[in-house]
Amino acid sequence: MPELRVAEMDDLFTIVDKSRVRRAIDIGCHRAEHIRKVLRVHFPDIEIVGVEPKQVNYQACCALGIPGVSFRQLDCRSLTRDDVGIFDFVWCFGLIYHLDDPTLLMKSLTRITHERTAICIEGHFAVPEEQASLPDPNPPITTRVLDGRSYEGKVFMEFDANASEEERDKLDQAAVDNPEAFWLTVDSMLRLCEAYGFPHVIELRSDSPDSPLGPGLTYPPVDPVRPWSRRLFLLSAAPFGRRE
């Protein structure tokens, strides 16, 4: 399992050499909030692609008319180079914990990145204890075999298994078609990254009420007893700091 480094969130765009970034993608971009408030701010002149599977969100994105930004209505679990090309920077916030099989997202990442691509993945991750910012009830840690490997995590419901396609489409912040989601433990997340060729992982943390990334992206403790469940990881196939 790769060793987890820790850095300040303020250092994200110092660790990432912005001068080498020509194309960026926001996978699961919802309604392009982070494209407008983070990616376009830090990368004002590059090409940005937003990927969003849900029709209502995709239409809202297209209506924005952001210069230099295009949107594709695609499933994050099956992205290919033919669909979107290759990227130098990947932004994937609030998505991985909506999946029942996160290995599918990692396979997509292997197809649309190169050795020096910097990948940001943010989401809820599981711990054995009862967690802050969790839906009730708080389930136990369980094990799932995904793509031939065992991973630990918690299973949560995304929507009623009997929900129609129309009902699911109205849930603009829920999974596309999987009624259950599997929240990985941090150890399982690290093993997942290594298994798919991204062994260099940094966790970005901040105790500041003002995040340099934009509103709503701070990660201070929110409960003195229960651990906070959202984590932010920066990963790559090549070591950070040696990007030749």
Side-chain angles (χ1 to χ4, degrees), residues 109-222:
L109 292 176
T110 64
R111 292 189 291 265
I112 65 168
T113 59
H114 55 74
E115 186 183 26
R116 297 184 302 277
T117 301
I119 303 165
C120 285
I121 295 181
E122 184 272 353
H124 287 290
F125 292 87
V127 298
E129 301 82 12
E130 184 179 0
Q131 296 174 254
S133 190
L134 275 185
D136 292 325
N138 190 53
I141 296 288
T142 188
T143 299
R144 282 190 169 184
V145 177
L146 305 172
D147 199 25
R149 297 181 177 89
S150 295
Y151 298 98
E152 291 72 46
K154 291 180 176 179
V155 177
F156 288 98
M157 179 179 289
E158 286 283 314
F159 49 77
D160 190 305
N162 296 317
S164 67
E165 184 176 353
E166 182 179 3
E167 290 171 328
R168 297 198 307 266
D169 286 344
K170 292 178 181 178
L171 301 172
D172 68 297
Q173 296 190 41
V176 174
D177 53 21
N178 49 284
E180 290 184 342
F182 187 57
W183 295 16
L184 295 165
T185 63
V186 171
D187 281 353
S188 287
M189 176 61 180
L190 295 177
R191 288 191 286 108
L192 181 76
C193 292
E194 184 175 47
Y196 290 92
F198 305 109
H200 304 283
V201 184
I202 300 173
E203 182 176 0
L204 298 162
R205 299 177 182 173
S206 175
D207 292 325
S208 169
D210 300 311
S211 166
L213 302 183
L217 300 181
T218 55
Y219 291 83
V222 295

Side-chain angles (χ1 to χ4, degrees), residues 61-79:
C61 288
C62 292
L64 294 171
I66 309 172
V69 178
S70 61
F71 295 97
R72 314 285 173 82
Q73 188 177 6
L74 297 169
D75 191 328
C76 75
R77 298 168 294 186
S78 55
L79 298 177

Side-chain angles (χ1 to χ4, degrees), residues 18 52 55 80 181 210 225:
K18 295 196 291 184
E52 172 56 41
Q55 178 73 10
T80 69
D210 300 311
V225 178

